């Protein structure tokens, strides 16, 4: 199975991708996680990505396509879930071309639908375990009480100013991709509001 998980920031892509990766035995390819790892390691890609990410802006397409392509190839071009890629029409065109060249262009796009007000609420309450990547919501999915606070990260791009910028970028650059995928008959829309398990069941229902 080749899967693209699509939706605005805070739609729950990362959380659902982890469940789906386990359930269908897929490599979980998150370009955001790849950049965060590159920043931690201090690689040239990490250095380039950091300023864009902190400002809530998109990393340039050429850089993103490079790391996404590497991830897909490392996953063997099959059995992967893309989380947060593609995010622009040129990235989607690049992906189509890349997969077609590798005889691997039968992918499905699951679009998680969530209202903007809920996204802001989710992102400002989101915390991440720096060591494991585990994602929490301070109210609905709180971190374990015994987890040291210094392990919990409030992402710099989850601060109010960056959230507003990311949503504006989403509307301008990423939202038009829905029509692109629909036009290619790849799009499956799923209601992204509700309990994590419930949303996971909805996604499975459209995939199975
Ligand atoms: P995420 O963890 O998916 O929310 O991504 C965090 C940040 O990484 C984004 O706000 C962008 O700055 C950058 N990023 C991740 N994926 C992409 C992409 N496909 N295109 C451009 N920038 C990206």
């Amino acid at each position: 199975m080749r899967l693209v998980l699509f939706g605005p920031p805070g739609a729950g892509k990362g959380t659902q991708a982890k469940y789906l990766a386990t359930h269908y035995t897929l490599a979980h390819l998150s370009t955001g996680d790849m950049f965060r790892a590159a920043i931690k390691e201090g690689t040239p890609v990490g250095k380039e990505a950091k300023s864009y990410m902190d400002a809530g802006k998109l990393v340039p397409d050429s850089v993103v396509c490079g790391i996404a392509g590497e991830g897909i190839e490392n996953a063997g071009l099959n059995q992967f879930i893309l989380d947060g890629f593609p995010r622009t029409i040129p990235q989607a065109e690049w992906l189509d071309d890349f997969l077609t060249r590798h005889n691997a262009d039968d992918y499905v796009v699951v679009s998680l639908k969530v209202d903007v007000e809920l996204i802001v609420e989710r992102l400002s309450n989101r915390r991440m375990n720096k060591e494991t990547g585990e994602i929490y919501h301070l109210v609905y999915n709180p971190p374990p009480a015994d987890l040291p606070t210094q392990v919990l990260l409030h992402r710099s791009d989850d601060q109010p100013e960056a959230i507003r910028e990311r949503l504006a970028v989403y509307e301008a650059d990423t939202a038009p991709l829905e029509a692109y995928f629909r036009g290619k008959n790849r799009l499956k829309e799923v209601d992204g509001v509700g309990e994590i398990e419930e949303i996971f069941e909805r996604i499975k229902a459209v995939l199975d």
Side-chain angles (χ1 to χ4, degrees):
M1 180 187 293
R2 300 181 187 96
L3 202 59
V4 169
L5 211 46
F6 179 82
K13 299 189 294 295
T15 301
Q16 294 299 330
K18 286 198 175 73
Y19 277 64
L20 291 162
T22 304
H23 183 79
Y24 292 108
T25 321
L26 309 172
H28 176 193
L29 306 177
S30 154
T31 41
D33 284 351
M34 291 175 194
F35 285 134
R36 280 183 287 276
I39 290 170
K40 222 175 181 175
E41 287 162 26
T43 67
V45 164
K47 284 187 181 126
E48 178 164 11
K50 188 170 184 343
S51 55
Y52 293 100
M53 290 174 74
D54 283 348
K57 297 199 182 304
L58 293 182
V59 176
D61 289 337
S62 58
V63 181
V64 187
C65 292
I67 65 156
E70 232 171 75
I72 295 170
E73 278 181 336
N74 289 341
L77 297 157
N78 198 357
Q79 295 298 103
F80 61 81
I81 176 163
L82 285 168
D83 159 14
F85 179 88
R87 259 177 157 103
T88 65
I89 299 269
Q91 288 178 20
E93 288 171 345
W94 177 90
L95 180 67
D96 279 335
D97 180 59
F98 176 83
L99 293 177
T100 303
R101 278 189 281 117
H102 289 90
N103 289 321
D105 74 333
D106 58 337
Y107 64 92
V108 176
V109 180
V110 170
S111 173
L112 286 175
K113 315 292 286 181
V114 179
D115 282 345
V116 171
E117 299 86 73
L118 189 59
I119 287 169
V120 175
E121 192 274 335
R122 278 187 183 178
L123 289 180
S124 38
N125 282 293
R126 180 159 76 174
R127 297 295 183 276
M128 194 166 108
N129 182 324
K130 275 191 235 181
E131 285 158 13
T132 63
E134 191 81 26
I135 299 162
Y136 302 105
H137 182 289
L138 288 178
V139 182
Y140 300 118
N141 177 28
D146 57 353
L147 196 71
T149 43
Q150 64 271 24
V151 178
L152 270 191
L153 175 74
H154 186 190
R155 284 170 42 174
S156 48
D157 57 349
D158 280 346
Q159 310 291 337
E161 189 58 24
I163 293 175
R164 271 191 291 278
E165 176 63 22
R166 288 164 74 201
L167 287 173
V169 167
Y170 175 80
E171 282 307 321
D173 296 331
T174 308
L177 271 179
E178 268 217 308
Y180 176 93
F181 291 133
R182 191 175 292 115
K184 294 196 175 268
N185 252 338
R186 299 193 187 279
L187 195 71
K188 312 251 184 218
E189 296 181 75
V190 171
D191 178 4
V193 182
E195 297 289 323
I196 293 172
E197 293 282 350
E198 195 184 341
I199 300 163
F200 179 55
E201 292 302 322
R202 286 181 205 141
I203 299 176
K204 276 195 300 180
V206 300
L207 292 176
D208 289 340

